[in-house]
Amino acid sequence: MATKRQRVTDALRVKRVQPIFNYWTERLGLGGSWHISYRFKDEINDHKTFAETYQNHPYSKGTIIFDRVCVDAATNQELESATIHELCHLILSPFSQTIHDQFGSSGYVGNILDSALEMCCENVAESLLRVRYGHNRAYHDPLVFADVTEVPE
């Protein structure tokens, strides 16, 4: 059971994540077609993994789980990049499912294809941020931790 301190802290995390999440789910076309939730976890992979995504592609459902420590340490730019990256996993979930169906989750070919999928998600996330903020990614940090209701255009 979460302590009062965690609930308050998670509420602040939601204030950071929610506007980014709303902004990008709509722009990536996931808002109406997917049911996506997110939550926070104390630790993912010894705090080496910022977030992980679970998807149920045939039913267009997904869950993004953020590592609390990583979220707390992240800049808004890093948080936005990670959120886009995880949303890209949902977009590419048919490919991910095919990889796992055809090659398993631990074989040599499956691992290579999983790595390629990770690079694809990362490259798309970085490209989208460059489009939004400019070629040099001069990030304007429009998000304020406690007062955000929506990401500015």
Side-chain angles (χ1 to χ4, degrees):
M1 179 167 173
T3 66
K4 184 175 181 180
R5 179 174 166 82
Q6 286 176 317
R7 281 194 303 272
V8 171
T9 303
D10 279 350
L12 292 175
R13 289 182 187 106
V14 167
K15 285 189 175 195
R16 290 186 67 201
V17 171
Q18 191 67 48
I20 295 168
F21 180 83
N22 289 346
Y23 181 90
W24 285 106
T25 53
E26 289 305 313
R27 273 144 191 93
L28 294 174
L30 296 167
S33 58
W34 278 77
H35 180 270
I36 308 168
S37 61
Y38 65 86
R39 62 184 175 86
F40 304 98
K41 187 176 179 180
D42 285 331
E43 181 180 334
I44 302 172
N45 192 21
D46 209 18
H47 306 299
K48 295 175 187 166
T49 302
F50 196 105
E52 56 190 9
T53 299
Y54 295 92
Q55 64 255 358
N56 188 335
H57 169 68
Y59 300 104
S60 298
K61 292 182 180 180
T63 302
I64 300 172
I65 302 172
F66 292 97
D67 182 292
R68 284 186 176 101
V69 170
C70 292
V71 169
D72 293 349
T75 65
N76 287 336
Q77 180 180 2
E78 293 165 337
L79 183 57
E80 187 171 19
S81 180
T83 302
I84 298 167
H85 176 102
E86 297 306 320
L87 291 169
C88 285
H89 278 292
L90 296 178
I91 293 169
L92 296 172
S93 64
F95 298 107
S96 179
Q97 187 63 51
T98 301
I99 289 168
H100 290 281
D101 289 349
Q102 296 297 316
F103 302 104
S105 58
S106 61
Y108 178 73
V109 174
N111 285 337
I112 290 173
L113 293 173
D114 273 343
S115 293
L117 193 62
E118 280 296 321
M119 288 190 310
C120 181
C121 290
E122 191 61 29
N123 290 339
V124 169
E126 292 300 314
S127 295
L128 288 168
L129 287 171
R130 278 193 297 279
V131 167
R132 181 168 185 206
Y133 295 110
H135 181 68
N136 295 326
R137 278 200 59 203
Y139 190 77
H140 303 294
D141 204 13
L143 304 175
V144 178
F145 292 108
D147 301 322
V148 174
T149 55
E150 159 179 333
V151 175
E153 293 294 323

